[in-house]
Amino acid sequence: MTQQTIDAPGKAGQSVQDAPLSRAAAVVDAARADPGRQPVVRAFFDEATFTASYVVHDPATRRAAIIDPVLDFDPASGRTSHASAQAIADHVVAEGLTIDWLLETHAHADHLSAAPWLQQRLGGQIAIGRAITAVQRTFGALFNAGPDFARDGSQFDRLFDDGDCFTIGGLEAAVLHVPGHTPADLAYVIGDAVFAGDTIFMPDYGTARADFPGGDAGQLYRSIRRLLSLPRGARLFLCHDYKAPGRDVFAWETTVGAERDGNIHVRDGVSEGEFVAMRTARDRTLDMPRLILPSVQVNMRGGRLPEPEANGTRYLKLPIDAI
């Protein structure tokens, strides 16, 4: 990922050397200048996992994308269910939308993905960042997934690289690689809307952890500052909210400008060294996510459950004293 200077001269503060960022900023600017290029965004919040999923559509063509959908999972019983995904499917049908994409911002550690279930019913291509292969190598080894588990990202229909562009109907979209929380995190810039995944949270809550395998607090800082050099008016949609102290409602939408001015961890003026010290100390106090072991096993497979064993039952592994 090319480094950039946040407050250097130039459009939105970005360095001219960062071509993917310049393209993404141009997508935002074009949409802000023309409301017809602005997507309609509907959020679905799953309080059990504190996850915001999104349906994003072009109002002119009714083409759409689903971002970070949740498969309901009860770890005590091992049962899956589809109420969260069904709500998304019902919305798609009611609005007369056609799904082109099922976009994953990264391999989530807090919920199982419902992308394959939705794809079977609504169509679309499942996509994630190309660096998912690094996640597959790390966790394929942890779970002793064996030679039948491909570590090449082939479980997904499309692997995006930094700077890739695509469309949703008439909407322009650009991809930014924003590692640090995991090696494979992406942000999707769709018109004037930026879907940042777990990289950053609401200004009063801060930022994502960086202590998972392959995570890096310094890299996370640089990724966030890269995102925050997009135009200040860009709408920023987040993957999680946990209610900051003193706030009684969940929230998942803000702006680049609000984050630059007020994010408690990474607002303008916070140095990389200050952030890394804070993030490292804070991460030491955090428990592992409740669903990390089942989630990663499923999500590294593109949201598909492991194949049934000889008795017809699927199993998820629980490594003992390994992490």
Side-chain angles (χ1 to χ4, degrees), residues 196 199-208 224-225 228 232 234-245 247 249-268 270 275 278-279 282:
T199 303
I200 193 168
F201 299 143
M202 291 296 290
D204 59 357
Y205 199 88
T207 57
I224 291 172
R225 296 308 305 177
L228 297 188
R232 289 179 60 91
R235 294 183 287 164
L236 196 60
F237 294 91
L238 314 175
C239 193
H240 294 289
D241 187 59
Y242 305 94
K243 291 183 182 175
R247 174 159 54 85
V249 296
F250 291 109
W252 46 80
E253 180 181 352
T254 181
T255 65
V256 166
E259 295 283 14
R260 289 188 65 163
D261 293 340
N263 188 285
I264 60 171
H265 293 167
V266 73
R267 64 188 175 276
D268 286 359
V270 175
F275 175 81
M278 177 283 302
R279 188 69 264 170
R282 180 173 172 80

Side-chain angles (χ1 to χ4, degrees), residues 56-119:
V56 186
H57 82 261
D58 172 15
T61 66
R62 315 300 289 179
R63 313 296 295 196
I66 298 170
I67 301 177
D68 293 334
V70 173
L71 176 70
D72 303 313
F73 178 70
D74 175 24
S77 66
R79 292 187 180 276
T80 62
S81 57
H82 305 97
S84 297
Q86 188 64 59
I88 290 174
D90 290 346
H91 171 76
V92 168
V93 172
E95 291 294 316
L97 306 179
T98 300
I99 298 301
D100 291 335
W101 297 97
L102 299 116
L103 303 173
E104 300 285 4
T105 55
H106 63 294
H108 304 274
D110 39 40
H111 70 268
L112 283 64
S113 172
W117 189 87
L118 287 164
Q119 183 185 50

Side-chain angles (χ1 to χ4, degrees), residues 10-318:
K11 188 74 171 178
Q14 77 267 20
S15 165
V16 294
Q17 285 81 23
D18 193 336
L21 183 61
S22 295
R23 284 195 292 272
V27 168
V28 173
D29 284 337
R32 287 175 55 76
D34 179 2
R37 299 187 181 189
Q38 296 175 8
V40 176
V41 181
R42 168 69 187 275
F44 296 81
F45 191 75
D46 176 48
E47 194 166 339
T49 61
F50 306 101
T51 300
S53 307
Y54 299 97
V55 176
V56 186
H57 82 261
D58 172 15
T61 66
R62 315 300 289 179
R63 313 296 295 196
I66 298 170
I67 301 177
D68 293 334
V70 173
L71 176 70
D72 303 313
F73 178 70
D74 175 24
S77 66
R79 292 187 180 276
T80 62
S81 57
H82 305 97
S84 297
Q86 188 64 59
I88 290 174
D90 290 346
H91 171 76
V92 168
V93 172
E95 291 294 316
L97 306 179
T98 300
I99 298 301
D100 291 335
W101 297 97
L102 299 116
L103 303 173
E104 300 285 4
T105 55
H106 63 294
H108 304 274
D110 39 40
H111 70 268
L112 283 64
S113 172
W117 189 87
L118 287 164
Q119 183 185 50
Q120 186 177 35
R121 287 153 181 80
L122 302 172
Q125 297 184 71
I126 300 176
I128 201 167
R130 187 172 301 279
I132 187 64
T133 57
V135 175
Q136 290 177 327
R137 289 192 298 271
T138 297
F139 285 97
L142 175 66
F143 293 114
N144 196 28
D148 291 338
F149 171 59
R151 276 87 163 166
D152 59 1
S154 57
Q155 300 87 348
F156 300 84
D157 300 309
R158 175 75 180 268
L159 299 180
F160 282 123
D161 291 305
D162 188 39
D164 279 351
C165 296
F166 63 102
T167 59
I168 302 170
L171 298 176
E172 295 179 272
V175 175
L176 293 175
H177 184 211
V178 286
H181 173 62
T182 79
D185 283 66
L186 295 184
Y188 296 103
V189 180
I190 304 171
D192 68 328
V194 182
F195 298 88
D198 287 14
T199 303
I200 193 168
F201 299 143
M202 291 296 290
D204 59 357
Y205 199 88
T207 57
R209 65 196 298 164
D211 60 335
F212 294 153
D216 182 277
Q219 194 174 51
L220 178 63
Y221 175 88
R222 295 187 294 274
S223 291
I224 291 172
R225 296 308 305 177
R226 190 182 192 217
L227 279 178
L228 297 188
S229 61
L230 289 168
R232 289 179 60 91
R235 294 183 287 164
L236 196 60
F237 294 91
L238 314 175
C239 193
H240 294 289
D241 187 59
Y242 305 94
K243 291 183 182 175
R247 174 159 54 85
D248 295 327
V249 296
F250 291 109
W252 46 80
E253 180 181 352
T254 181
T255 65
V256 166
E259 295 283 14
R260 289 188 65 163
D261 293 340
N263 188 285
I264 60 171
H265 293 167
V266 73
R267 64 188 175 276
D268 286 359
V270 175
S271 71
E272 181 173 341
E274 291 169 330
F275 175 81
V276 169
M278 177 283 302
R279 188 69 264 170
T280 303
R282 180 173 172 80
D283 287 350
R284 291 194 189 105
T285 71
L286 300 177
D287 294 330
M288 284 289 101
R290 183 175 65 98
L291 295 181
I292 183 171
L293 294 176
S295 293
V296 175
Q297 285 179 80
V298 170
N299 296 338
M300 71 182 186
R301 293 178 164 88
R304 296 170 183 84
L305 298 171
E307 289 299 315
E309 296 194 6
N311 63 355
T313 300
R314 303 176 191 269
Y315 291 90
L316 294 171
K317 293 182 178 180
L318 183 66

